[in-house]
Amino acid sequence: MVESNSEIKTDVPENSPEIEPIVELNGVYKIFKQGHLEVIALKNINLTVMPGELIVVMGPSGSGKTTLLNVISGMDKPNAGSVKIKNLDVTRLKDEGIQKLLQYEIGIIFQFFNLIPSLTAAGNIELPMNIIKVPKVERKERVKTLLAQVGLENRARHRPFTLSGGEKQRVAIAQAFANNPSLILADEPTGNIDSVSAEKIMNIFHETMLNNPEKAVIIVTHDPAFRKIADRTLVLRDGEITREIGKLSQSEQNHFTGDITNGDSKFTAINDRHQIAKEVIEGPKEYPKFSEIKKCPSCGSTRILKNFDKNHSSLSIRDQNIIGIVAIACLDCHQVQFETVTLFNIKKDLNLL
Ligand SMILES: Nc1ncnc2c1ncn2[C@@H]1O[C@H](COP(=O)(O)OP(=O)(O)OP(=O)(O)O)[C@@H](O)[C@H]1O
Ligand SMILES: [Mg+2]
């Protein structure tokens, strides 16, 4: 978003010696103690984020997503392990060092906007630059650029209470980018806004990353649509990274079919189907019976809906077995998965062959 140009990001070669990771977590544990109770909020987290990467973090409530961001930003100290931002060991920094880190290197976007009510949109965006004493002319110029980049040129003089939720969040994004940080951390940036504004915000993140390949973004969200723009999606459960999903292919992105509404929960059908097809063809796999699927394959939650997406279910025959593909929607991590299930054996169960 900062140097706005139309260049598409070039892929950063992995393991290149001269490119340093922006974030490096090794064996990170965070334990909260409350009386006799201990909550292990993060358990042996290992994570490396390179420049140009957009990481999405999903997982049920209480799985440690916010704690992960707090540990990365230095706001929470881990009980064990190391946290490095651009090779700087954050766990060794004193308060003043953390403050500098937050002023220069890390921009944070919260779910509830965190804007100062008495300042205008422009004033809020300018604030981080005031704090580090950016000269006035440069500040004003930059506010203008940032407002344009989040599409709010004509809201510069509005105070937060006169802005919609989506607009407030766009101001918060511009504010997080004000001091040109290397790392942006966003905690549920679309948690409180309607789906049209959410999509706009998702696109702002995406464009920002395309235009700033030297930066990295970590977004915590319950919105599966963010998988479309993610280079990697991490699934947290009980403080552990239980799954890491790579970038969706172009065809998967194209097939990302929007929302399927089921009661209060919103899901997006994700085309993991050719993976499933591959498993069906190649095996070997023990196919669970429909009734045996009790957990979300992604996060392990037992709060799942089976076969809710009938349009994407199908039947095929393999080794005289009728195999069905069942869509499973998880009420916790909001992912849709496709599981293969042996429904019955034609020979044994039906005596047909
Ligand atoms: N300051 C704290 N003191 C004690 N326990 C805490 C503290 N902060 C977090 N926890 C606990 O750590 C666990 C992880 O919390 P965290 O806020 O990281 O979850 P989360 O994945 O962000 O959840 P949500 O999706 O609801 O925001 C929870 O069990 C929570 O109760
Ligand atoms: Mg949280």
Side-chain angles (χ1 to χ4, degrees):
M1 185 159 65
V2 181
E3 283 76 34
S4 187
N5 61 46
S6 56
E7 266 177 39
I8 302 297
K9 134 183 116 154
T10 47
D11 278 339
V12 177
E14 269 179 46
N15 303 325
S16 170
E18 62 278 12
I19 299 172
E20 274 183 359
I22 293 188
V23 180
E24 237 183 323
L25 269 62
N26 273 306
V28 166
Y29 281 76
K30 178 68 195 174
I31 299 162
F32 291 108
K33 286 195 181 121
Q34 275 190 331
H36 298 301
L37 256 186
E38 272 196 352
V39 177
I40 307 180
L42 295 177
K43 211 182 280 178
N44 193 26
I45 300 285
N46 297 298
L47 173 66
T48 303
V49 183
M50 299 301 289
E53 277 200 296
L54 191 153
I55 308 287
V56 164
V57 180
M58 303 186 84
S61 180
S63 59
K65 304 180 298 295
T66 297
T67 309
L68 177 66
L69 295 188
N70 289 345
V71 159
I72 292 173
S73 68
M75 294 200 286
D76 263 342
K77 280 222 183 312
N79 298 75
S82 68
V83 178
K84 287 184 183 166
I85 303 293
K86 290 173 89 179
N87 227 2
L88 177 78
D89 190 341
V90 172
T91 55
R92 286 163 186 257
L93 292 179
K94 301 219 162 53
D95 286 355
E96 202 182 315
I98 302 285
Q99 218 171 15
K100 283 235 153 65
L101 190 75
L102 295 174
Q103 284 166 358
Y104 290 91
E105 292 290 359
I106 302 179
I108 303 183
I109 299 152
F110 298 96
Q111 180 173 358
F112 296 102
F113 323 123
N114 274 35
L115 300 175
I116 302 208
S118 57
L119 294 178
T120 60
N124 270 286
I125 297 171
E126 196 180 338
L127 188 64
M129 293 182 266
N130 277 321
I131 293 172
I132 66 165
K133 301 190 171 56
V134 174
K136 190 171 174 185
V137 179
E138 201 180 313
R139 277 192 332 248
K140 300 289 173 200
E141 199 50 42
R142 182 130 176 80
V143 167
K144 249 194 197 164
T145 312
L146 288 161
L147 276 168
Q149 282 166 346
V150 294
L152 290 177
E153 300 95 318
N154 52 6
R155 296 285 189 279
R157 300 171 77 83
H158 285 234
R159 287 181 208 285
F161 71 92
T162 66
L163 296 170
S164 73
E167 288 168 343
K168 274 188 270 204
Q169 198 56 302
R170 283 189 271 158
V171 173
I173 293 177
Q175 188 192 52
F177 275 92
N179 288 342
N180 209 4
S182 316
L183 176 65
I184 294 287
L185 304 175
D187 198 353
E188 301 270 1
T190 58
N192 272 313
I193 50 185
D194 64 276
S195 58
V196 174
S197 304
E199 176 142 16
K200 222 178 244 173
I201 281 167
M202 188 175 86
N203 291 336
I204 289 173
F205 276 113
H206 193 209
E207 259 171 44
T208 301
M209 288 312 291
L210 295 179
N211 290 325
N212 295 276
E214 76 290 354
K215 296 186 191 300
V217 176
I218 304 178
I219 304 171
V220 163
T221 181
H222 285 289
D223 182 354
F226 272 80
R227 280 194 59 193
K228 266 204 289 194
I229 62 164
D231 292 303
R232 274 187 288 154
T233 301
L234 310 177
V235 181
L236 270 185
R237 176 147 187 101
D238 296 332
E240 282 183 280
I241 298 175
T242 53
R243 196 162 179 230
E244 186 171 324
I245 310 160
K247 199 174 170 63
L248 295 182
S249 69
Q250 194 56 54
S251 93
E252 284 168 327
Q253 287 178 38
N254 295 342
H255 282 96
F256 212 91
T257 54
D259 294 327
I260 297 165
T261 305
N262 189 298
D264 288 329
S265 308
K266 257 177 28 179
F267 299 104
T268 306
I270 297 158
N271 249 331
D272 279 343
R273 268 170 294 152
H274 47 254
Q275 177 60 30
I276 300 294
K278 212 167 135 213
E279 283 173 11
V280 171
I281 294 160
E282 291 172 2
K285 184 173 171 182
E286 284 288 307
Y287 300 116
K289 286 239 170 56
F290 188 68
S291 58
E292 285 165 7
I293 302 175
K294 295 196 167 70
K295 288 183 174 174
C296 165
S298 234
C299 74
S301 161
T302 50
R303 300 203 315 133
I304 54 170
L305 298 169
K306 287 186 270 192
N307 215 14
F308 88 103
D309 179 11
K310 295 201 170 61
N311 293 336
H312 288 111
S313 304
S314 70
L315 293 176
S316 60
I317 301 177
R318 181 171 171 261
D319 293 342
Q320 300 175 9
N321 288 316
I322 299 283
I323 290 165
I325 293 180
V326 179
I328 299 165
C330 176
L331 292 168
D332 280 323
C333 74
H334 294 197
Q335 304 224 35
V336 177
Q337 312 278 319
F338 295 89
E339 275 286 298
T340 40
V341 182
T342 301
L343 297 172
F344 50 82
N345 183 286
I346 301 169
K347 193 169 179 185
K348 213 167 77 197
D349 297 337
L350 290 184
N351 257 342
L352 290 180
L353 299 176

